[in-house]
Amino acid sequence: MAEAAGAELPVLPDSVLLQVLALLPLRDRLRAARVCRRWQRLALDRTVWRHVDLSPHRISSQTLWHLVRRRLRDSLRTLRVQGALRSGDKRRLLSPALLAALGERCPHLRRLCLVDTDLRPLPYKSLPASLTALELSHCEIPAAWFCGALPQLQHLVIRDVPAFSDRHLLNVSSQSRLKTLSLWGTYRLTDMGVQRAAPHLGDLEHLVLRHCVIGDSAVGVIGRHMKQLRFLEIGSAGSLTSAGLACLATLQRLEMLGLDLCDKISLGAVITLCRALPQLRKLKLGGARFEDEVVDKIQASLLHCSFSHDP
């Protein structure tokens, strides 16, 4: 035992350490670079800096400039940053010049996630043109945004951005061939906005509408124009009725459906819809509490898909 305890542990190969370092938060990743020369070389390797999440840290614009100039390279694929709303010009994180440098230094950046960021001083055209995915959470955006700057944009996620309106949806849908659209807490989005944008959203495969002011007419145009949908989730839509829900029977490629039940939508209407969707494999219902007998009845009625519920 003594001889075994004194033996050196085998050295992990570089390939394994690179995978471990890539999983570390940014601060720990930089600390690892100070352990020894080998770890410094590995911690600064291009593969470790493909996906960078800065959102846990309240960094300054100066720190972000340093990272762009010294650490973020053409290997970067995903960047997530957190700003500081209502902080004034002195603490503003992003600027057109910084975004231009990011686009030049990281030409393969595909996904940008911004949290608590004031985007009103930033023209939409200043975002890196290489982006295929954009996620905005708790951000401020100007009225003229989403006009023709990101031709490769395919995935858009908007979460708790009250300023997002019908005009924004029409702008982005008419300029980009979206595959994913996820809207949470966009209270200014209305049926009319969905109706105007729907003809431009024929390529959508994944659609989430939660806490949006939509009803039967919006769902009707979804059924008419978004025939490629495979994933659809509609939550907290108090104006939606069983009659509007029936319009979704045209979505013959739908594989997953998520709905919040309310007084205007009957369980029978949901079951009838699901039976009309041959590719449906998963149904998730929220907004109601089901007794065990009801759950058994639903599962017995939908043999071709699984069922789950979240009260």
Side-chain angles (χ1 to χ4, degrees):
M1 293 292 294
E3 183 178 351
E8 292 186 2
L9 292 173
V11 177
L12 291 175
D14 286 359
S15 59
V16 174
L17 282 176
L18 285 172
Q19 294 182 46
V20 173
L21 290 169
L23 296 174
L24 292 178
L26 175 69
R27 187 168 296 170
D28 295 335
R29 196 181 303 176
L30 294 175
R31 286 172 178 169
R34 299 197 293 267
V35 172
C36 62
R37 290 183 179 178
R38 180 186 177 222
W39 278 43
Q40 181 183 48
R41 173 176 58 82
L42 294 175
L44 301 181
D45 189 88
R46 298 160 58 91
T47 60
V48 175
W49 293 85
R50 287 178 178 168
H51 307 286
V52 176
D53 185 2
L54 303 175
S55 61
H57 315 288
R58 289 285 186 176
I59 64 174
S60 64
S61 177
Q62 182 179 3
T63 300
L64 186 54
W65 266 111
H66 175 81
L67 289 171
V68 169
R69 289 168 174 162
R70 301 290 182 88
R71 294 288 179 262
L72 304 182
R73 309 173 188 177
D74 59 0
S75 59
L76 184 68
R77 297 295 185 271
T78 302
L79 178 63
R80 183 179 178 89
V81 297
Q82 177 169 323
L85 283 177
R86 296 173 293 276
S87 60
D89 293 341
K90 292 183 178 181
R91 291 195 57 193
R92 185 164 287 141
L93 182 64
L94 298 176
S95 65
L98 194 152
L99 288 172
L102 180 65
E104 181 179 351
R105 289 278 298 170
C106 309
H108 303 297
L109 178 63
R110 296 292 180 258
R111 181 182 175 208
L112 179 63
C113 309
L114 302 177
V115 182
D116 292 335
T117 305
D118 187 355
L119 302 174
R120 290 173 295 183
L122 301 175
Y124 186 61
K125 63 181 180 181
S126 65
L127 295 177
S130 59
L131 293 181
T132 60
L134 177 63
E135 299 182 16
L136 305 179
S137 299
H138 303 280
C139 293
E140 290 285 353
I141 56 175
W145 244 50
F146 299 110
C147 291
L150 301 177
Q152 301 186 63
L153 187 66
Q154 296 183 7
H155 311 282
L156 177 65
V157 177
I158 305 292
R159 187 182 292 268
D160 295 320
V161 179
F164 190 87
S165 65
D166 292 350
R167 178 182 177 183
H168 291 121
L169 180 59
L170 181 60
N171 285 344
V172 70
S173 63
S174 60
Q175 301 291 336
S176 305
R177 307 298 292 183
L178 292 178
K179 297 288 186 182
T180 300
L181 177 62
S182 183
L183 303 177
W184 293 63
T186 52
Y187 299 104
R188 294 190 182 183
L189 182 67
T190 67
D191 280 13
M192 182 61 68
V194 176
Q195 290 176 13
R196 294 176 63 192
H200 305 288
L201 296 172
D203 292 336
L204 268 188
E205 298 178 359
H206 187 122
L207 175 63
V208 176
L209 298 171
R210 295 195 65 87
H211 302 287
C212 301
V213 186
I214 62 168
D216 288 355
S217 57
V219 173
V221 297
I222 290 173
R224 287 197 301 272
H225 292 283
M226 304 182 192
K227 301 294 182 64
Q228 304 300 317
L229 280 179
R230 295 185 296 107
F231 182 107
L232 174 62
E233 183 176 343
I234 301 176
S236 302
S239 300
L240 182 61
T241 70
S242 294
L245 192 65
C247 299
L248 299 177
T250 59
L251 304 179
Q252 295 291 291
R253 297 190 178 188
L254 201 64
E255 299 173 10
M256 188 280 176
L257 176 63
L259 291 169
D260 280 354
L261 291 183
C262 62
D263 295 338
K264 299 178 182 179
I265 300 177
S266 69
L267 186 57
V270 175
I271 293 176
T272 299
L273 170 63
C274 293
R275 286 175 173 173
L277 301 173
Q279 301 300 320
L280 193 68
R281 295 296 177 264
K282 184 177 181 181
L283 170 66
K284 182 178 180 180
L285 297 180
R289 187 178 299 276
F290 299 105
E291 301 294 336
D292 291 342
E293 309 86 68
V294 177
V295 172
D296 293 340
K297 180 181 178 180
I298 297 173
Q299 292 177 337
S301 302
L302 303 175
L303 299 177
H304 66 295
C305 71
S306 63
F307 167 69
S308 63
H309 63 101
D310 183 17

